[in-house]
Amino acid sequence: MGSLRIANCSGFYGDRISAAREMVTGGDIDVLTGDYLAELTMFLLWKARSAGRPGYAVTFLRQMEEVLGTCLDRGIKVVTNAGGLDPGRLADDLRAVAQRLGLSPNIAYINGDDLMGRLPALQAGGVDFRNLDTGKLLSEADVPPVTANAYLGGRGVAYALSQGAEIVICPRITDASLVVGPCMWRFGWGDDEYDKLAGAVAAGHVIECGAQATGGNYAFFAEIENLGTPGFPIAEMAPDGSAVITKHAHTGGLVSVGTVTAQLVYEIGDNHYLNPDVTLELDSIHLTQEGPDRVRLSGTRGLPPPPTLKVAVTCEGLHRQSMTFAIPGEDVELKAQWACRGMLETLGGADQFDDVDFRVVRHDQPGSVINELSVAKLVATFSARDPSVLGRRIFDAATGLALSSYPGIYFQDERQQRPTQSGVNWPCLVPAHLVTERVILDDGTEHEIPDRIPVETGPATHSALRTGSVNGRVIGPTARVSLGTVFGARSGDKGANANVGLWARNAEAYRWLEHDFTVAAFRQVLPEADGLEITRTALPNLKAVNFVVHGLLGEGAASGSRFDPQAKGLAEFIRSRFVELPVALLKAGDRSDGTAEAMR
């Protein structure tokens, strides 16, 4: 049995609209997948549905209009989670598009993930929906839930494909399940073939975020010779669960051990990467540069899945509005205090708001000969459950100070006259047997996916117990340089927590990273984590160390006032921080991650 070429055309709702066409017309593929969902996306889809618009990713329809005929002609299956909160409606609307094009695709969709209507009954039955980050029960939440979706696995996708579906529209399944399901269908894997399933999860995790696996957002981007718009990734899956990550020929970007490692350490926790079908042991993955733009994943090990499913509950958060004051020249702190006092006096005090945040951002460069570079910022943010205390009055209070406050005052976002509402992420668990996954086939028949057989996971085995410790330290003279001189990094959000995965490109650099870059050292380069719990996991097979900063992102789903609410730029900040590194690690061109070979 040959390989199964699974291509991805979307890493988030808003990704490059032309990617579906590029993947279908750019070369041979067997399956086209698209990942559109994140915790924040579910809240945005709820807002859309509440306003009478579709609760699914509408861009998927535009993409299918361009490629549907070609996919049917070439037998390319389409599997997507674009269904969001309305998979059935998306299936109907796609049929309407197909009919207009003179096509008749076999479309199946999946549901059963939506627990919103079942929350009271499940809570009465003993499911507490305890917040995985804070420990609070959902019944104790001071904000109302608006969505509650369990993360489904790949078995429903596999069943739909086995029944002749050419397009499978999914709701909230895990991102990696877009790859797991087609593999289970094509290769006939059983529920207990954990190593094979884990291989598919690993490959799915690599390609789920689109061009992030092919040079997009890559720490060493300046080394990419073909620095055009990156092509989207393809996972060539083998029957044994191994995979080759690649991209279409003559597209921009790069596929190297480095770019694949960067994606493997993105938005992870510890060594156990939990999925509904299997628990992936991240450090079992062996990466090999097979040739230009071809990286093999092999040796992947899996354990039984947990007995629970993760549930993404989102709640209505506060309404928030900000004004940004420019503060040129000197006496920045004193000028900011004057503006803050003036705002509060005009508005009648802070008590009417649930939160007031004044943040001075020192972008200014003292002594600069260019005006724009000598300007600091004051960001004044007001939050309230009642949006009526916000709106035009916030804007008027700020602009009313234009002639009566500090010298040089002006504003940098005068259009911000309306508040926006944030979503609060509430990650929790539900016993898997309480969630019934259903597949609705093209003929309208509904089929339940049987509960998986519970497995006692017991203590972790295989490589999961390895600590990753390495012997000996890198010794010799040191130089004070930025971490990014030697190490790559990628960061992201996991609910309220931020993860930063750092990786080395050779064994000697990893020795330093594993031995010397401890939690204490990490705190030194990230002072804002003071007082927060930080967990650290060594992944020696990947030459990587992952840090999770618990609670850095408030309540998650971009609910806080942090400038980078999803920690997407945190890794680059960490790489910019200066530390003492052994001079031996600074040798030019000393890299062995396959990047150089991949660029030839």
Side-chain angles (χ1 to χ4, degrees):
M1 184 179 296
S3 64
L4 182 68
R5 286 174 57 88
I6 303 177
N8 179 25
C9 71
S10 176
F12 71 103
Y13 189 11
D15 211 344
R16 194 161 81 227
I17 195 74
S18 62
R21 182 181 70 252
E22 294 167 13
M23 299 310 289
V24 169
T25 62
D28 291 333
I29 61 173
D30 301 306
V31 181
L32 180 69
T33 67
D35 174 24
Y36 297 82
L37 302 183
E39 289 92 346
L40 178 61
T41 313
M42 303 304 282
F43 180 74
L44 297 176
L45 291 177
W46 171 78
K47 296 279 285 185
R49 191 174 63 177
S50 300
R53 300 190 301 274
Y56 59 73
V58 296
T59 52
F60 173 75
L61 281 181
R62 291 170 55 193
Q63 291 176 305
M64 286 299 100
E65 192 166 7
E66 293 183 343
V67 304
L68 184 55
T70 305
C71 287
L72 295 177
D73 289 343
R74 290 170 47 190
I76 299 171
K77 306 291 187 180
V78 179
V79 181
T80 180
N81 62 12
L85 299 177
D86 279 330
R89 180 174 176 180
L90 177 54
D92 290 340
D93 290 352
L94 182 57
R95 289 190 182 97
V97 170
Q99 184 176 17
R100 177 161 49 83
L101 296 173
L103 304 172
S104 301
N106 186 315
I107 302 174
Y109 70 92
I110 294 173
N111 64 26
D113 67 306
D114 191 347
L115 305 182
M116 190 62 200
R118 298 177 57 199
L119 284 181
L122 289 169
Q123 289 173 303
V127 181
D128 56 22
F129 296 103
R130 185 180 301 274
N131 190 303
L132 294 173
D133 296 328
T134 67
K136 290 179 62 175
L137 307 185
L138 186 59
S139 59
E140 301 170 346
D142 54 1
V143 287
V146 293
T147 70
N149 298 83
Y151 286 72
L152 304 178
R155 294 189 302 144
V157 173
Y159 178 80
L161 293 172
S162 73
Q163 298 303 302
E166 294 166 303
I167 300 171
V168 184
I169 295 174
C170 306
R172 176 68 279 185
I173 69 174
T174 72
D175 304 340
S177 295
L178 298 173
V179 170
V180 174
C183 288
M184 295 181 77
W185 158 68
R186 172 64 67 86
F187 302 131
W189 294 343
D191 291 351
D192 59 351
E193 296 189 73
Y194 299 126
D195 290 348
K196 296 176 181 179
L197 293 167
V201 168
H205 181 50
V206 171
I207 73 170
E208 70 188 39
C209 288
Q212 278 198 165
T214 56
N217 302 348
Y218 184 47
F220 302 108
F221 70 97
E223 298 176 358
I224 301 176
E225 294 180 357
N226 189 5
L227 200 56
T229 303
F232 271 59
I234 299 169
E236 295 179 351
M237 299 302 306
D240 65 356
S242 63
V244 171
I245 306 301
T246 186
K247 62 186 182 70
H248 283 321
H250 311 300
T251 56
L254 170 73
V255 179
S256 71
V257 168
T259 67
V260 171
T261 299
Q263 185 56 30
L264 283 172
V265 300
Y266 178 64
E267 294 186 344
I268 63 170
D270 61 18
N271 184 36
H272 295 118
Y273 192 70
L274 306 181
N275 262 255
D277 300 303
V278 67
T279 298
L280 162 65
E281 292 186 283
L282 281 164
D283 190 45
S284 66
I285 305 168
H286 185 70
L287 302 179
T288 307
Q289 190 79 45
E290 282 201 340
D293 295 320
R294 292 184 63 83
V295 173
R296 176 169 293 279
L297 282 66
S298 60
T300 307
R301 302 296 297 269
L303 295 167
T308 53
L309 297 178
K310 183 179 178 181
V311 179
V313 174
T314 56
C315 306
E316 286 191 88
L318 299 175
H319 298 266
R320 180 176 293 113
Q321 188 170 358
S322 298
M323 287 294 295
T324 302
F325 294 72
I327 307 180
E330 299 181 324
D331 301 319
V332 169
E333 301 295 336
L334 182 60
K335 291 174 180 176
Q337 291 174 18
W338 197 354
C340 296
R341 184 168 57 248
M343 283 284 287
L344 291 177
E345 287 177 355
T346 302
L347 291 168
D351 292 345
Q352 63 198 289
F353 306 101
D354 289 274
D355 184 63
V356 176
D357 181 66
F358 293 115
R359 184 170 305 189
V360 178
V361 183
R362 298 302 301 261
H363 288 159
D364 54 313
Q365 300 177 17
S368 172
V369 297
I370 300 176
N371 190 357
E372 287 85 351
L373 299 182
S374 66
V375 181
K377 294 180 180 180
L378 166 67
V379 182
T381 302
F382 298 84
S383 303
R385 301 199 187 287
D386 179 8
S388 68
V389 303
L390 304 173
R392 178 77 192 202
R393 64 190 296 261
I394 302 295
F395 175 81
D396 289 344
T399 57
L401 301 175
L403 302 180
S404 58
S405 188
Y406 61 83
I409 183 174
Y410 64 94
F411 305 96
Q412 296 193 324
D413 61 350
E414 295 184 12
R415 294 172 297 177
Q416 180 104 2
Q417 299 183 33
R418 296 181 180 178
T420 58
Q421 187 179 23
S422 63
V424 175
N425 181 50
W426 191 282
C428 49
L429 301 174
V430 65
H433 71 273
L434 296 179
V435 176
T436 302
E437 182 177 4
R438 291 177 292 270
V439 177
I440 295 82
L441 299 177
D442 193 62
D443 61 6
T445 58
E446 185 174 304
H447 302 264
E448 288 189 5
I449 302 301
D451 290 340
R452 68 185 187 215
I453 300 174
V455 177
E456 284 292 333
T457 57
T461 57
H462 309 321
S463 60
L465 292 180
R466 292 181 296 176
T467 63
S469 295
V470 291
N471 295 322
R473 302 183 64 183
V474 182
I475 59 175
T478 64
R480 189 163 181 79
V481 298
S482 65
L483 272 166
T485 306
V486 174
F487 301 103
R490 182 164 287 170
S491 59
D493 61 316
K494 296 294 285 184
N497 309 326
N499 100 285
V500 182
L502 293 102
W503 77 92
R505 299 199 283 180
N506 57 60
E508 189 174 24
Y510 178 70
R511 282 171 57 202
W512 183 91
L513 184 63
E514 199 280 335
H515 193 283
D516 289 72
F517 202 56
T518 61
V519 168
F522 186 86
R523 287 189 187 279
Q524 288 183 346
V525 300
L526 187 65
E528 65 179 298
D530 184 44
L532 299 177
E533 178 189 359
I534 298 175
T535 55
R536 176 183 186 271
T537 302
L539 303 166
N541 252 18
L542 301 178
K543 300 185 184 71
V545 174
N546 187 58
F547 294 88
V548 177
V549 186
H550 298 265
L552 183 68
L553 306 180
E555 295 177 305
S559 64
S561 58
R562 197 173 186 275
F563 284 7
D564 180 16
Q566 294 177 282
K568 302 303 184 185
L570 182 59
E572 283 302 289
F573 173 73
I574 296 298
R575 293 182 72 238
S576 73
R577 302 287 282 162
F578 276 61
V579 298
E580 292 287 336
L581 284 178
V583 174
L585 302 184
L586 308 181
K587 297 176 182 178
D590 184 17
R591 60 175 183 242
S592 56
D593 66 353
T595 302
E597 291 80 359
M599 294 191 299
R600 293 194 184 114

